[in-house]
Amino acid sequence: MTSPSGSTPAEATAFLDAHPEIEAFDIILTDANGVGRGKILRRHELAGVYQNGRHMPISILGLDITGEDVHETGLIWDSGDGDLRAWPIPGTLVPLHGTNPPRGQVLMAMYHLDGEPMTSDPRHALARQVEALAAKGFHPAGAFELEFFLLSNERDADGKVQPANAVLDGRRSGKTEVYSVDHLHGMEPLFSDIYAAAKAQGIPAETVISEYAPGQYELTLNYRKDVMRAADDLIMLKRVVRMQARRHGVTACFMAKPIEKYAGSGMHFHVSLLDDKARNVFTETTPGAWSPLLLNALGGLAGTMAESMLVFAPHANSWRRFVSQSYAPVAPTWGVNNRSVALRVPAGDAKNRRIEHRPSGVDANPYLVAATILAGVTKGLEEKLDPGPEVTGNGYEAAGDAKTRMPIDWRAAIDAARGSSFLKTALGPDLHKTFVEIKWAEYLRVARTVSELDYHLYLHEV
């Protein structure tokens, strides 16, 4: 059958001709948690994937973060755990830098056997929101920022994770060293391989900085006029960073808050809207007055943020990042050139006017994040929502009103998401059910676990 994803056998043929050295391929389907699941195929199997797709069990989209089945999703035995068909995503067939023997990879999307999209696949949720905006004459453009830690493979004397030593010369630094260029030089061999791998995959990785914690870094991605590709970029870049870090003997960590006394890692999403003539509709046309569409988009994002927080902070560890003055937003506020708010309008050329959405941790699924943000923008435009007054100064002091205040913890976020008609629309009913049930199963796993902290606090005290 013809590939419903738009992929063609010619893409595979051209790639194989250009890369006779590659012996195998990772085929990767991204689940609700953002985990890549799939198979490694031999070279001769690739053509068949592009001609006929590849059967994969429906249950692959109903797994928790550990890879265990979550029966409440309805994707396991309710359907007999039957096979569906995954198809390649056009433009994602790429070589993997530094592999031996040489390998490639391709991202996949899940479809029913008749070619209809499998609606618990996160990428399809984003595609649906892009199509909904296109029907209104708007085309989202954007880019993600990737923050992460490079950690040692060994724990410290207290059993805690610790920043990795410089891969260049083994130098150890426990200091924050924010924006230190000299500090970056110690990781130069690793970042050189990351850039080489990104170039080979067509990922527009740009600036790297030393971030606001020991061992924390940020990589930026160039803006894409295709938001689907912007999300693919983030998925692929995380795999690049993780793979190259392992090759240099360190661990790339994408937990939202791996070290308790330092700031966590975000995954900020910059988004703007273009009209059918590729003009940025967020650009102000009257000097000194914001574009009404920009304000409406901010209103939609602020008004839906509380019920969407499970998407932006999906794990137990995600909620440790939301501490006042930790560079993570704690209220659905907006402001200009202000990093203490949730929705930042960066300063700069009006032609590049955009919204920086800051709540998401780096542990979130970029497809779900982008889909939820675009749905919030759409709601704001349709209902002409007002974002309220701009916050100036310290945004951590602006708690928000009762209707828009953030959930206080993971359990509250799960409850808010379960009851959210907006989120059900943003993700689609099937993916909404899948995602919430997976998060609930993970919550119960964490809630019943007796930790070392429990023993420390209570063993000899109560």
Side-chain angles (χ1 to χ4, degrees):
M1 64 183 293
T2 301
S3 169
S5 71
S7 61
T8 65
E11 182 179 359
T13 300
F15 186 89
L16 292 172
D17 289 345
H19 297 278
E21 77 284 0
I22 290 183
E23 298 184 12
F25 294 88
D26 299 358
I27 63 171
I28 303 157
L29 182 73
T30 303
D31 72 6
N33 275 313
V35 176
R37 304 194 185 275
K39 306 178 180 183
I40 299 179
L41 309 181
R42 305 305 297 167
R43 178 184 176 90
H44 69 271
E45 297 179 89
L46 183 68
V49 173
Y50 277 79
Q51 291 167 355
N52 305 306
R54 185 76 178 204
H55 285 144
M56 288 190 183
I58 189 173
S59 58
I60 202 171
L61 293 174
L63 305 177
D64 69 9
I65 193 66
T66 69
E68 295 284 347
D69 292 338
V70 179
H71 296 278
E72 292 80 5
T73 62
L75 300 180
I76 316 299
W77 298 123
D78 290 13
S79 60
D81 195 16
D83 279 346
L84 299 184
R85 190 172 290 170
W87 289 89
I89 296 169
T92 66
L93 177 58
V94 294
L96 293 175
H97 175 74
T99 51
N100 185 23
R103 294 205 322 277
Q105 83 174 19
V106 62
L107 302 186
M108 309 287 284
M110 189 77 93
Y111 294 81
H112 291 284
L113 298 181
D114 63 2
E116 286 298 308
M118 197 287 172
T119 48
S120 284
D121 183 325
R123 199 173 187 276
H124 292 319
L126 176 54
R128 195 176 64 254
Q129 293 302 327
V130 171
E131 291 165 3
L133 278 166
K136 300 177 184 298
F138 298 119
H139 309 280
F144 287 92
E145 297 176 3
L146 181 67
E147 295 179 358
F148 58 95
F149 281 80
L150 293 175
L151 302 177
S152 169
N153 292 339
E154 283 74 44
R155 305 289 182 92
D156 66 15
D158 296 320
K160 303 285 189 179
V161 298
Q162 57 183 335
N165 295 343
V167 299
L168 181 65
D169 57 8
R171 173 194 166 198
R172 179 170 179 77
S173 173
K175 297 177 288 186
T176 297
E177 306 209 60
V178 64
Y179 277 81
S180 169
V181 177
D182 288 344
H183 179 65
L184 291 176
H185 290 170
M187 292 295 180
E188 184 178 17
L190 170 53
F191 282 113
S192 292
D193 276 338
I194 288 172
Y195 280 126
K199 181 179 180 181
Q201 296 186 17
I203 304 170
E206 295 195 326
T207 305
V208 61
I209 65 171
S210 179
E211 258 289 356
Y212 200 66
Q216 188 185 36
Y217 302 87
E218 178 186 278
L219 271 170
T220 61
L221 287 159
N222 196 15
Y223 226 59
R224 292 276 198 184
K225 291 185 178 180
D226 179 355
V227 163
M228 298 294 298
R229 188 55 205 243
D232 293 338
D233 285 341
L234 199 284
I235 289 286
M236 295 168 71
L237 185 58
K238 285 180 74 171
R239 286 182 56 80
V240 162
V241 172
R242 182 179 283 117
M243 180 180 294
Q244 297 306 322
R246 290 182 72 181
R247 294 185 181 282
H248 284 272
V250 299
T251 297
C253 175
F254 300 108
M255 290 173 63
K257 182 80 167 179
I259 302 176
E260 60 192 43
K261 62 182 179 179
Y262 293 111
S265 294
M267 189 181 69
H268 304 162
F269 183 47
H270 295 251
V271 62
S272 58
L273 288 185
L274 309 180
D275 64 15
D276 288 333
K277 295 183 178 180
R279 295 173 299 198
N280 185 354
V281 301
F282 286 170
T283 297
E284 50 268 28
T285 57
T286 302
W290 296 113
S291 160
L293 295 178
L294 173 68
L295 293 175
N296 292 157
L298 288 166
L301 293 172
T304 57
M305 190 174 295
E307 58 198 299
S308 304
M309 281 304 298
L310 186 62
V311 170
F312 308 142
H315 307 293
N317 178 260
S318 309
W319 291 85
R320 307 194 197 288
R321 176 172 162 259
F322 295 98
V323 179
S324 180
Q325 301 183 35
S326 64
Y327 288 93
V330 295
T333 51
W334 76 279
V336 180
N337 197 23
N338 187 336
R339 286 184 170 85
S340 65
V341 297
L343 303 167
R344 175 176 175 251
V345 179
D349 192 334
K351 292 184 296 184
N352 300 323
R353 190 69 68 217
R354 64 193 187 275
I355 297 169
E356 180 188 3
H357 188 277
R358 297 174 57 80
S360 297
V362 73
D363 56 343
N365 182 329
Y367 296 127
L368 299 188
V369 168
T372 304
I373 289 171
L374 295 187
V377 167
T378 299
K379 180 178 176 67
L381 299 181
E382 289 178 343
E383 301 179 17
K384 293 182 169 48
L385 298 179
D386 183 349
E390 171 194 345
V391 170
T392 59
N394 188 352
Y396 295 115
E397 296 176 351
D401 61 37
K403 292 182 180 179
T404 58
R405 194 169 297 141
M406 302 277 209
I408 61 171
D409 57 22
W410 193 27
R411 169 65 185 268
I414 294 173
D415 290 342
R418 189 185 297 277
S420 172
S421 58
F422 163 76
L423 200 59
K424 187 175 292 187
T425 299
L427 304 182
D430 293 336
L431 181 53
H432 176 267
K433 174 181 172 62
T434 297
F435 183 62
V436 171
E437 293 299 345
I438 287 171
K439 294 295 104 183
W440 181 244
E442 292 173 2
Y443 170 81
L444 292 177
R445 178 190 288 252
V446 172
R448 66 174 173 257
T449 298
V450 180
S451 70
E452 281 298 321
L453 181 61
D454 288 293
Y455 295 127
H456 175 71
L457 293 176
Y458 309 121
L459 179 61
H460 299 295
E461 310 300 332
V462 296

